[in-house]
């Protein structure tokens, strides 16, 4: 019995040694995420997107950036983590342009279960697709309105309230940190967004609205709205307002989406009013899109989290006996840059895409857009401003 | 007994399995630091500082960078680590300017218990506040002398001897690696510093002196000394020597500080002599400061390590039933850029600041400076060169 | 017996707790590499190279970048890893130039045991020394042909087949991602390489050949071949073809090497033909080198892996009772930039170097080159184009 007791004691100490809480647990989320019971966490972050594509040339428009093109679309590296006491951070840069573009770079404080505060560079609560990570949209590029109206990250302070199906976000921002390198920059914006996202039947509903006031606060400021033809490998913009002398911008957005099993639908609209100096009439431009998508592989569905689309996690990934998730998406993509005497052109885009997600952290896209332009900014042969362009784009993507 | 013996053996093997030295231990220092018993270590590094502030405009000076401003002040990412055999490294860049600024980037070799060698870009042993990490100074910006005289990191080789209360540092440097991209750069400096840092009573004393000779080694070189008004969001310099044709610079610094419980005091002075070409008289400029500070929260004290101020670790941090550490600091900040016919202006700065350190790795600052200028480089209304400026700055900071 | 049984059960649970497969294993490879049994891995990457050197000035050539110089030669930071399902990635940038240069940035897919696919920016299968990491060449800089002919990383898709002693690599590439920022870039290349690397006697043989066709695909394109004098701290090029109007480039390379114990020998040659527009005669330039090296420290040998030289792991490293590995290398380095009426100059370089590898991840080089130029592009005093230059370079290097 003495021997047995000794054995028991020895076993107990072995159990203790094995069970002593380790200083860090590891979870693999692309890259490892380390965390501790005392509230620490740390995770490296990265993403890479390699694009190739081709854009047709309307007769008479000869631009060497049309036709075939390829590029490193995005290359992010960074870190995020948590610090005991309720603080957190994300620091990430995009080096794809062989330069530094600061993307998300902020610190957070979880003031209560429902309320989070953020200081630093982050997105001023644009609409659904813009708030969705560029890792997860339905096509290689977001809808025209998201690019045209200058949605960007800005330095600011914001608060978010989240409870049940409701999400409220609001903040005060200055400008993108790259623009703030010019110490004369005095612009200021106030941005807010409300999301209602209840379960509806067997699906997830998303309804949202946002409002944005941006005071340029500069004696000689201007804005310019324009967009590439569906893909990003060409820098030609067929529709383009040119520079518009401006005092401020006022924007409103509406968002709706529904996900149910393999299906999803989404629609957004954004009205952007430019307040011009003096007695000039203030134009209001509009952009919007409607899309629908369906997974062809059984058991797959689109991710949704925190008021935005999220990661697709294939039901049967490559390497585990499966093929991954295959999704087909369809979008009508409208942008109207004509108002109050400004004729930047109008786009009616018809887009079709295939997204293959072999594993949680890899994604391949192939998509095609037929873009119909009217009153385009760039005249084709014979001064023709009504023409169409075909664009085919593909992407290989990995993130960690 | 056989069963008991088997149990004992089984327990022993379990103990062995649990006790086998793991390949890496983890310590949380903002980010995790991994280390092994064989001499390896590795730690990611990062910091972010978000600033906002306002600088008043003297009557007649209209500069758009005055008034309110905000910026990403610093955004570092990098790594440090150790390699068996006595080697170590730090590699860190600042991307706040939406470009790459190489900060610390060096390899080290621990030649003996007392002697460490460093090759790469590091600080050439300036004075106390400049050698203190920009995470830990008493105000958002360092005293005027530290900015005005062009203290920077340079590529070089150095040695440090540390034993008991004595620290000796010396090295040979060329230039900042960004400046070395110009292959015609031939500048060279020799820099040395001595620190005596005994315990004195219940406190920590710091006495130091440094000397710096910088040969510009160029047929058409110049130097320029100038400084922003207390905070960094404006790029206006009210005092500024303009470019001075120069052959070399010779600098001397003296440092003293004392920390005792919640109190600290510090004072530094730096004399910078410009050796001008030919028969031109060589001016000597001077800057210095005196400061005192006190923690209002019980049990808190200023960190000190390796000849510089170090991290404040709040006695009762936020999230553990406390509020963090709250410190009030007061500084007189003097800079004289007038000598030998060069009239760059003189600053008498009176500065008051509040530093809130909720946790070891977060820090918030609010500070105010009343800067009195005489013979300023920038004339106000009516050619007035004697005026004062008020500046208010705040910062949110997190590092890992 | 009940007690013994209980002890046994307790021991069993302790064993289970200790033996539960951890979420991540750690291996130290400079930095830690974490991996899991489910196919994940992650490793930070970095390297730093600090250079100093001096280049003599031929009589009459006064260039401030000649003489002594120093620089941060390379500073890489990045990550690599594996993702279950057969995917992997590497993302790395060089920030030494105080800017971002994207180096390796790609995703991989292991299609079978023998076949690997790569998409992204990688090297288009140049010859032995260029495919060898810049951490491991015999001298501070690669042979002249590798720099002169514009070998670089490009965005592309490639496949590699590896079985036994045979390695086949081939791909289609566009251009370096920095050049692709110009959306008008339409260049395209096809590159292939074959390596046969059997054991021969007690040594490792390496035989290789590669071919490269590069279509500039631009109406007004040009190429320029030139090279620095042995080291990199000066930007003077004594031999230089200047810009040559070009339609395409066609290159062939041959490679041979043999490693046996402390000895190694290597030789390469590269023929570069420029296809000029219209009726202009197409020049073919040639560069090549022969080198031999020997370790002076017992038991050391040069690493070889995957068709390239690899890391030297000293038999008796510093810090473990040894001194590291010491190697002496000798190279003849030839480059002929004269053909078809283009007189860019000819180099006969005689190079001698010492490499000290104290530990696996640290390396110090000291080397000297006597470069004999004829018909140089840069005339010396009296219009003399036949002269020689001496260059001495040194490097301190650490990687992780």
């Amino acid at each position: 019995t003495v021997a047995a007791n000794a054995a028991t004691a020895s076993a107990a100490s072995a159990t203790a040694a094995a069970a002593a809480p380790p200083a860090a647990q590891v979870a693999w989320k692309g890259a490892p995420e380390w965390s501790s019971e005392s509230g620490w966490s740390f995770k490296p972050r990265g993403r890479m997107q390699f694009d190739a594509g081709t854009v047709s040339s309307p007769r008479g428009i000869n631009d060497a950036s049309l036709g075939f093109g390829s590029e490193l679309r995005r290359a992010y590296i960074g870190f995020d983590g948590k610090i005991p006491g309720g603080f957190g951070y994300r620091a990430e840069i995009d080096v794809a342009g062989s330069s530094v573009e600061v993307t998300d770079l902020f610190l957070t404080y979880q003031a209560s279960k429902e309320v989070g505060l953020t200081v630093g560079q982050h997105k001023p609560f644009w609409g659904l697709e813009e708030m969705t990570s560029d890792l997860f949209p339905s096509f290689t590029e977001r809808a025209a309105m998201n690019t045209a109206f200058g949605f960007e990250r800005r330095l600011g302070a914001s608060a978010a309230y989240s409870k049940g199906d409701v999400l409220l976000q609001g903040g005060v921002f200055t400008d993108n940190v790259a623009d703030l390198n010019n110490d004369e920059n005095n612009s200021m914006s106030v941005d807010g967004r409300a999301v209602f996202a209840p379960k509806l039947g067997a699906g997830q509903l998303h309804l949202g609205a946002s409002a944005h006031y941006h005071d340029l606060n500069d004696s000689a400021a201007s804005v310019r709205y324009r967009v590439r033809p569906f893909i990003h490998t060409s820098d030609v913009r067929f529709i383009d307002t040119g520079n518009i002398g401006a005092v401020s911008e006022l924007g409103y957005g509406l968002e709706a989406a529904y996900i149910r099993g393999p299906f999803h639908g989404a629609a957004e609209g954004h009205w952007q009013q430019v307040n011009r100096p003096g007695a000039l009439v203030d134009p209001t431009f509009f952009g919007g899109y409607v899309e629908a998508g369906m997974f062809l592989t059984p058991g797959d569905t689109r991710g949704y989290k925190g008021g935005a689309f999220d990661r697709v996690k294939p039901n049967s990934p490559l390497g585990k006996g499966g093929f991954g998730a295959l999704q087909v998406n369809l979008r009508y993509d409208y942008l109207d840059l004509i108002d109050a005497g400004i004729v930047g052109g109008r786009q009616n885009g018809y887009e079709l895409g295939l997204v293959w997600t072999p594993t949680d952290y890899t994604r391949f896209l192939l998509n095609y857009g037929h873009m119909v332009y009217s009153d385009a900014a760039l005249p084709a042969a014979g001064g023709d401003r009504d023409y169409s362009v075909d664009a085919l784009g593909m992407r290989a993507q990995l993130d960690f």
Side-chain angles (χ1 to χ4, degrees), chain A:
Chain A
T1 330
V2 171
N5 282 351
T8 303
S10 179
S13 93
T15 304
Q25 290 91 34
V26 178
W28 288 93
K29 301 182 174 177
E33 180 179 70
W34 295 271
S35 59
S36 80
E37 291 182 5
S38 50
W40 292 102
S41 85
F42 183 76
K43 184 184 167 295
R45 295 172 60 87
R47 72 186 63 169
M48 49 183 76
Q49 297 178 337
F50 305 103
D51 280 17
T54 184
V55 181
S56 71
S57 301
R59 205 164 49 89
I61 299 184
N62 298 310
D63 186 295
S65 89
L66 294 172
F68 178 80
S70 65
E71 66 176 349
L72 174 58
R73 180 65 179 94
R74 289 187 180 91
Y76 287 17
I77 53 170
F79 304 113
D80 64 26
K82 286 188 185 138
I83 283 185
F87 293 99
Y89 59 89
R90 181 182 296 176
E92 200 165 37
I93 58 174
D94 182 1
V95 297
S98 292
S99 59
V100 171
E101 188 189 332
V102 174
T103 58
D104 281 341
L105 203 144
F106 53 75
L107 71 85
T108 60
Y109 178 66
Q110 196 65 34
S112 72
K113 194 164 166 288
E114 290 87 12
V115 178
L117 307 177
T118 302
V119 174
Q121 173 151 301
H122 56 300
K123 289 182 184 169
F125 314 118
W126 311 112
L128 171 64
E129 195 184 38
E130 188 66 28
M131 294 306 287
T132 295
S133 163
D134 56 52
L135 291 167
F136 310 133
S138 305
F139 297 86
T140 48
E141 299 300 319
R142 295 191 178 94
M145 60 172 238
N146 288 306
T147 309
F149 294 136
F151 299 165
E152 61 179 355
R153 288 172 179 88
R154 291 184 188 144
L155 185 60
S158 73
Y161 171 90
S162 169
K163 191 171 183 182
D165 300 336
V166 173
L167 171 66
L168 302 175
Q169 300 167 309
V172 180
F173 297 83
T174 57
D175 212 328
N176 187 282
V177 296
D179 297 321
L180 291 173
N181 286 328
N182 176 358
D183 282 349
E184 303 194 357
N185 190 314
N186 290 314
S187 74
M188 190 73 72
S189 78
V190 184
D191 302 83
R193 182 177 179 236
V195 172
F196 178 56
K199 297 282 174 190
L200 184 68
Q204 172 73 52
L205 180 67
H206 169 102
L207 296 172
S210 70
H212 310 271
Y213 177 71
H214 184 210
D215 190 344
L216 300 172
N217 226 342
D218 193 335
S219 54
S222 65
V223 297
R224 181 177 193 174
Y225 303 136
R226 55 181 190 162
V227 67
R228 289 181 169 83
F230 185 53
I231 63 172
H232 195 273
T233 53
S234 169
D235 59 9
V236 170
R237 277 83 163 190
F238 295 107
I239 58 174
D240 182 347
T241 61
N243 288 322
I244 307 171
V247 171
S248 64
E249 297 172 296
L250 182 61
Y252 297 104
L254 288 178
E255 334 160 10
Y258 187 63
I259 307 170
R260 183 170 173 161
F263 302 99
H264 91 277
E268 283 189 83
H270 187 91
W271 292 261
Q272 184 86 342
Q273 181 191 317
V274 182
N275 181 12
R276 299 168 79 191
L280 291 168
V281 184
D282 298 341
T284 297
F285 304 112
F286 172 76
Y289 71 92
V290 186
E291 72 171 54
M294 187 178 68
F295 282 93
L296 307 176
T297 41
D300 288 313
T301 189
R302 196 150 185 190
Y304 178 85
K305 197 169 116 185
F309 287 119
D310 201 46
R311 189 177 299 279
V312 170
K313 302 188 172 179
N315 185 44
S316 181
L318 194 73
K320 293 192 174 171
F323 167 77
L326 193 65
Q327 185 191 19
V328 59
N329 291 313
L330 211 64
R331 185 166 66 182
Y332 167 65
D333 187 1
Y334 178 77
L335 182 66
D336 182 359
L337 297 181
I338 304 177
D339 196 42
I342 291 165
V343 185
R346 192 177 288 121
Q347 167 188 303
N348 283 279
Y350 306 92
E351 303 164 8
L352 174 67
L354 213 57
V355 182
W356 176 39
T357 309
T359 69
D360 293 9
Y361 295 92
T362 52
R363 196 173 190 241
F364 298 83
L365 294 95
L366 175 69
N367 51 40
Y368 162 77
H370 178 68
M371 316 310 281
V372 181
Y373 297 113
S374 47
D375 294 320
L378 223 61
D384 186 13
R385 291 179 185 271
D386 300 330
Y387 49 79
S388 68
V389 162
D390 294 287
L392 187 75
M394 60 187 94
R395 172 171 299 165
Q397 171 184 309
L398 182 150
D399 77 297
F400 58 86

